[in-house]
Amino acid sequence: MADFEVLAGIHQGLFLVLLIVMLLPTIMANQLVFRPTKRAFISSARITLCFLWSALFVFGGHLVMTWVLFESFGWLYIKDKLLGFLPFIFVPLLCCLLSTFPRLWELAGKGSKDSRQSQVDTEYTRILLQEKNVRPAKANSPDRDDALDAEWRGDASCPELLVPLQASVLGCLIALFLQVFFPAVTLEPSILFLAWGVLLAGVSLLWIRQSWKHQYHSTAENWVKPRRLLRFIRFAAFLLMTAFIATIWGNQAMIASRLPDQPPLEGQNQDDHALPDFAFPVKASAHSMPSTGKLRSVDAPTELKQGNPDRTFSLNAQKTTIHQASGKTVEAWTLNGQYPGPELRIKQGELVEITLLNKDISEGIDIHWHGMQTPASYNRLAKGEKSVYRFRAEQTGTYWYHSHQQIPEQVVNGLFGALVIEPAEATTTGAAIRDIAMIHHKDEKAGATLNGSHTRKIETIAPGTTVRLRFINAENAPVTYLLQGTPFQVVAIDGTEVNEPNLIANQALQPGAGGRYDIQFTMPNRPVLFAPAANQQDKGLLLSPDGSEDAVPFLDAEVSVFDPARYGSPIALPFDLSSHFDREYQLLIDGQYGFYDGQFKRLSTVNGDLLPETPLMIEEGDLIKLTFVNRSFQNQSMYLHGHHMLILSRDGKKVTGSPWWTDTLQVAPGETYEVAFRANNPGASMEGNLPKGETAFGIAIPLVYEE
């Protein structure tokens, strides 16, 4: 498949190129009336005609690139371009072809016959003057017959010639503005109508202004060319007025974008989101939104509030100075003085009780069990407060926990840890099993770390031992790791076991933000290295049969990335692409610029919206189908709030391997995924309850159940 980022980048860049190319003939056409002679007039008209041809050629290339995008990626990737942006350029250019081009062609050849006769007369006059010893006029003094008269100035200033060119420039500006600030403009009809209103109003004003100028240039007896200083002052005044209006608009947009103070978190849905680079809330398509619907919250079942827990944990959050093995010092926010927090390992079916105490973190904390479908139970804990969390571990697999307050800051500082739920009945194979949970995390000072260490760790494991590495990505972006030294299997993805996993080698693992991969292999009689890609052999985890660091495997950066869509063996599915879905939502992911919480930044949007806009409305028991379309220029890690989704297809091709169940899906630029899930975990709406940090950096799909 063609490179989406290259094609889409060229397509977007052509909007700017076309604006520049259209400015040239427009400026030159406006200057025709000020040409000193007819010869200069005709020459400028011909050059203007060439520039107009160039603009038409660039627009033709724009249409070709649109077709290439359509052929490579489909209708959804060009819908807003073809229906939203390009018409603002096409309509004025069509007017240029019908009105400006024939007039400019006529002006370029205007007076050609008269010019030839004038040249003969001028030569004859020169000979007569020489015979009479009369000195001819200076070369830089235009012949009176060659000077522009009112008729020529009238032809050069008529609205039919100039306004279509000016409208084309205005249309290019509007199209470029919409591309940058409203990439999903077809889903925002009010913005689209407003843009067309601006174009029509602008063209009307330009026509009135040019009609007045045409009357002046074609009828004034004592016509005088305006001084350059006066024309510069007019242009500067126009720019100042435009800047003033833009400043007022920007200030109002900045004020309107400010988020309210962080509200209490009681009743918020339990399952949160991964941690991406940009604001990334989700909204359902307007055509599929129910007209009404009451929201409800779900309290914890009575049996969770009573009875003796099978396993208890205490987590004390406090600020601590951590001394790294390399000698570096990190000011961290820790749980039980550990960075990251302690690993919580429990058995399926156990009733778990966890006590969280906030010792000295004034910003407030709470805790979230990432990827688990537990009841809603959020209470922000102020400094000195504590709370008790109880849930039954119904699922198995690899998960993690983190603070749910000001997520980007608190997770980066260390309020997170691994959560492993083992099967109630362990599988007995007779072979020893070494189970290791590894959390990748990026600290602002120490950089990338694995289990809190930014240097390589060594574990001694006897050959023949079955090793299971539970890899957790706690960074706010996809990461790439390699396992070198032995073949391996990917036995679980986001807590769900893979059916009949293949034995693979030399494939990079790239989980999305918050994603988890469980890999398993038999320890060979040589070292095995698990480390970040790009030849970072001084980081990661080295497994050695004798504890030595000899013969460390070399990390090959030129390897393919593991593809879950083609891995493992298929089995019967509860639903697939042929199933009847109760509701279907199409989520268009775009990158745009705008104000958010008082700051101008690049934002990621879904269907043109940001949190806290309308969330995804569903009803308990519904079978929901979502289509993710990533039209932005960055990887997006989609985290389904409180549910696991089944990946049905990628880029129109059905998933052929083991059923791919996940709660975190990485969608690359230009990729389209169809996923489905059963609405079986009712919870409260996130709308109006999201803390500021989460809103600014969250990539969640808030699901709101109707009552």
Side-chain angles (χ1 to χ4, degrees):
M1 180 177 288
D3 192 327
F4 170 78
E5 293 169 276
V6 173
L7 292 180
I10 293 174
H11 194 280
Q12 289 191 11
L14 283 175
F15 282 101
L16 181 60
V17 172
L18 189 57
L19 172 62
I20 296 173
V21 174
M22 275 306 306
L23 275 172
L24 296 176
T26 303
I27 293 173
M28 293 197 67
N30 277 277
Q31 296 298 313
L32 285 176
V33 72
F34 302 123
R35 297 298 94 186
T37 65
K38 295 178 181 178
R39 295 176 188 175
F41 178 96
I42 294 172
S43 177
S44 295
R46 290 172 179 172
I47 296 175
T48 304
L49 195 61
C50 291
F51 279 123
L52 182 57
W53 272 115
S54 300
L56 294 174
F57 177 78
V58 172
F59 182 70
H62 214 162
L63 294 179
V64 170
M65 289 302 302
T66 304
W67 175 257
V68 173
L69 268 177
F70 170 71
E71 283 292 308
S72 301
F73 299 96
W75 166 249
L76 294 176
Y77 289 86
I78 69 163
K79 182 184 73 170
D80 289 278
K81 302 177 187 298
L82 194 62
L83 302 181
F85 312 141
L86 290 177
F88 287 96
I89 304 174
F90 174 76
V91 173
L93 278 181
L94 181 61
C95 294
C96 285
L97 276 176
L98 298 177
S99 181
T100 300
F101 184 81
R103 285 174 172 78
L104 200 56
W105 182 274
E106 182 180 352
L107 291 178
K110 184 177 177 64
S112 57
K113 181 178 180 180
D114 295 338
S115 297
R116 289 193 296 269
Q117 183 62 42
S118 176
Q119 291 176 5
V120 173
D121 294 342
T122 301
E123 182 65 21
Y124 179 71
T125 302
R126 186 183 63 81
I127 295 173
L128 290 178
L129 291 174
Q130 286 179 350
E131 291 178 352
K132 296 181 179 181
N133 295 322
V134 178
R135 188 176 182 180
K138 293 182 179 180
N140 59 356
S141 299
D143 193 320
R144 180 172 297 180
D145 292 336
D146 195 34
L148 248 62
D149 54 25
E151 179 186 353
W152 284 62
R153 290 196 300 270
D155 291 341
S157 61
C158 67
E160 294 85 352
L161 171 70
L162 297 177
V163 173
L165 290 171
Q166 297 165 353
S168 297
V169 173
L170 180 59
C172 289
L173 281 171
I174 293 174
L176 184 61
F177 178 84
L178 293 176
Q179 174 74 58
V180 173
F181 294 100
F182 300 97
V185 71
T186 56
L187 297 179
E188 303 180 72
S190 59
I191 298 295
L192 200 56
F193 291 152
L194 178 61
W196 278 108
V198 170
L199 180 62
L200 292 176
V203 171
S204 300
L205 292 175
L206 288 171
W207 189 277
I208 294 172
R209 174 177 174 271
Q210 196 59 44
S211 297
W212 176 83
K213 294 177 71 174
H214 171 66
Q215 184 178 8
Y216 169 74
H217 290 310
S218 59
T219 60
E221 296 181 359
N222 299 319
W223 181 85
V224 178
K225 178 180 178 180
R227 295 183 178 181
R228 290 186 178 181
L229 179 60
L230 180 60
R231 290 157 60 190
F232 174 78
I233 292 175
R234 290 175 180 172
F235 181 70
F238 171 76
L239 289 182
L240 287 175
M241 183 178 296
T242 304
F244 178 72
I245 295 174
T247 301
I248 293 178
W249 171 81
N251 184 65
Q252 293 300 315
M254 179 184 66
I255 295 174
S257 71
R258 293 191 183 278
L259 298 174
D261 293 334
Q262 181 171 302
L265 294 176
E266 295 181 2
Q268 198 179 88
N269 196 327
Q270 168 68 9
D271 219 354
D272 180 39
H273 55 69
L275 309 171
D277 291 329
F278 302 113
F280 194 57
V282 172
K283 167 185 177 297
S285 301
H287 69 272
S288 58
M289 291 294 295
S291 57
T292 60
K294 297 181 179 180
L295 309 181
R296 57 173 174 167
S297 61
V298 178
D299 197 6
T302 303
E303 65 97 4
L304 294 182
K305 299 179 181 179
Q306 302 174 354
N308 296 322
D310 300 299
R311 202 175 296 264
T312 61
F313 298 94
S314 294
L315 298 175
N316 300 325
Q318 64 187 81
K319 297 181 179 180
T320 309
T321 300
I322 300 296
H323 298 281
Q324 297 278 358
S326 63
K328 289 186 177 181
T329 300
V330 177
E331 298 297 327
W333 297 3
T334 65
L335 293 164
N336 296 356
Q338 300 180 36
Y339 172 78
E343 177 183 308
L344 307 183
R345 193 172 284 259
I346 55 184
K347 294 285 187 180
Q348 183 184 18
E350 289 183 336
L351 180 60
V352 182
E353 179 179 289
I354 300 175
T355 302
L356 176 65
L357 170 64
N358 181 3
K359 281 191 172 182
D360 61 3
I361 297 178
S362 57
E363 290 81 357
I365 64 168
D366 64 6
I367 200 166
H368 159 62
W369 319 110
H370 192 102
M372 294 184 61
Q373 299 178 11
T374 55
S377 57
Y378 274 127
N379 289 295
R380 187 191 324 142
L381 302 181
K383 181 179 177 180
E385 293 182 340
K386 71 177 180 179
S387 181
V388 177
Y389 301 83
R390 293 168 67 97
F391 61 88
R392 189 168 296 281
E394 303 289 352
Q395 302 163 258
T396 61
T398 304
Y399 306 95
W400 62 297
Y401 63 91
H402 59 79
S403 177
H404 204 252
Q405 295 292 307
Q406 300 178 355
I407 292 176
E409 179 183 6
Q410 296 198 355
V411 173
V412 165
N413 283 324
L415 294 182
F416 66 96
L419 173 62
V420 177
I421 306 178
E422 299 174 338
E425 299 294 334
T427 303
T428 57
T429 60
I433 297 179
R434 185 71 175 272
D435 194 313
I436 305 173
M438 306 295 297
I439 302 184
H440 167 89
H441 173 247
K442 192 171 185 178
D443 179 78
E444 292 181 347
K445 296 181 180 179
T449 65
L450 197 62
N451 279 3
S453 174
H454 68 281
T455 58
R456 189 172 63 203
K457 285 189 173 183
I458 302 176
E459 293 278 351
T460 302
I461 299 180
T465 303
T466 299
V467 180
R468 181 164 184 149
L469 294 182
R470 301 176 183 267
F471 180 47
I472 304 167
N473 177 19
E475 192 179 336
N476 62 348
V479 295
T480 303
Y481 269 69
L482 295 174
L483 181 74
Q484 296 288 86
T486 185
F488 62 93
Q489 298 169 301
V490 179
V491 295
I493 300 174
D494 286 353
T496 302
E497 295 290 317
V498 174
N499 182 54
E500 298 182 0
N502 309 10
L503 196 64
I504 59 176
N506 296 320
Q507 291 192 28
L509 301 175
Q510 196 176 74
R516 290 91 62 204
Y517 280 157
D518 288 21
I519 58 178
Q520 188 167 297
F521 57 90
T522 300
M523 183 65 191
N525 58 358
R526 59 183 180 275
V528 175
L529 179 63
F530 181 69
N535 297 323
Q536 299 186 50
Q537 294 183 248
D538 59 337
K539 297 181 180 293
L541 175 66
L542 178 65
L543 306 179
S544 174
D546 56 6
S548 69
E549 297 187 52
D550 298 333
V552 176
F554 176 76
L555 291 178
D556 185 3
E558 301 298 327
V559 295
S560 60
V561 177
F562 168 71
D563 183 9
R566 306 287 181 263
Y567 185 74
S569 300
I571 56 175
L573 299 172
F575 41 81
D576 56 24
L577 286 170
S578 62
S579 300
H580 169 73
F581 297 97
D582 299 296
R583 306 191 191 197
E584 298 186 23
Y585 294 89
Q586 195 175 84
L587 306 176
L588 304 179
I589 308 167
D590 290 295
Q592 70 179 58
Y593 286 92
F595 286 98
Y596 194 81
D597 196 20
Q599 296 182 352
F600 186 79
K601 60 178 68 175
R602 182 172 177 81
L603 306 169
S604 291
T605 62
V606 173
N607 292 347
D609 282 325
L610 295 168
L611 276 177
E613 297 293 334
T614 309
L616 206 69
M617 306 295 292
I618 59 178
E619 188 172 343
E620 187 172 3
D622 280 352
L623 182 60
I624 311 295
K625 178 184 174 184
L626 304 177
T627 301
F628 300 124
V629 182
N630 187 3
R631 306 190 303 189
S632 71
F633 289 92
Q634 72 170 79
N635 289 300
Q636 303 286 0
S637 293
M638 305 295 298
Y639 181 65
L640 190 59
H641 202 270
H643 303 73
H644 272 64
M645 51 188 162
L646 177 64
I647 312 302
L648 303 177
S649 73
R650 181 181 60 200
D651 297 330
K653 297 179 181 179
K654 184 179 178 181
V655 173
T656 58
S658 171
W660 183 5
W661 290 94
T662 182
D663 54 59
T664 304
L665 176 64
Q666 178 183 325
V667 185
E671 283 189 337
T672 300
Y673 280 89
E674 292 177 294
V675 308
F677 68 96
R678 180 71 67 180
N680 56 8
N681 185 25
S685 171
M686 294 174 65
E687 186 175 12
N689 295 327
L690 287 168
K692 182 178 294 187
E694 181 176 77
T695 307
F697 294 90
I699 180 170
I701 302 177
L703 302 178
V704 180
Y705 280 74
E706 295 179 293
E707 187 172 303

